């Protein structure tokens, strides 16, 4: 997660695919940090976690979409 934040700052990609389960900084913290730095960032959460609470929280935080792994 910490690396994701650093890479976003350095590269400013058009779209971010972000997992929730990451070492040091989890995906929700990384999502928050990226959107605080750039409220226009387009972040898609891509995770194997599929609890309704996780999905709703990420979307409320500002994620554009939430995709659940595995994806065919």
């Amino acid at each position: 997660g910490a690396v994701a934040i650093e890479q976003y700052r350095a590269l400013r990609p058009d779209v971010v695919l972000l997992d929730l389960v990451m070492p040091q900084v989890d995906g929700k913290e990384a999502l928050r940090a990226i959107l605080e730095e750039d409220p226009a960032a387009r972040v898609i959460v891509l995770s194997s976690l599929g609890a309704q609470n996780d999905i709703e929280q990420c979307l409320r935080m500002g994620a554009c979409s939430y995709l659940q792994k595995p994806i065919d």
Side-chain angles (χ1 to χ4, degrees):
V3 173
I5 296 165
E6 290 174 16
Q7 288 295 301
Y8 185 81
R9 287 178 180 145
L11 302 173
R12 295 290 180 167
D14 293 331
V15 177
V16 176
L17 292 177
L18 188 64
D19 200 344
L20 292 183
V21 180
M22 296 183 287
Q24 298 173 337
V25 176
D26 71 19
K28 290 177 186 175
E29 291 178 49
L31 174 62
R32 184 176 298 112
I34 290 169
L35 291 174
E36 281 178 5
E37 182 151 331
D38 181 4
R42 290 177 283 187
V43 181
I44 298 171
V45 176
L46 178 64
S47 181
S48 61
L49 301 178
Q52 191 65 30
N53 183 48
D54 289 323
I55 296 168
E56 290 173 2
Q57 186 178 15
C58 289
L59 294 174
R60 275 194 312 270
M61 291 173 65
C64 294
S65 187
Y66 189 109
L67 302 173
Q68 191 171 356
K69 294 189 244 180
I71 296 175
D72 293 328

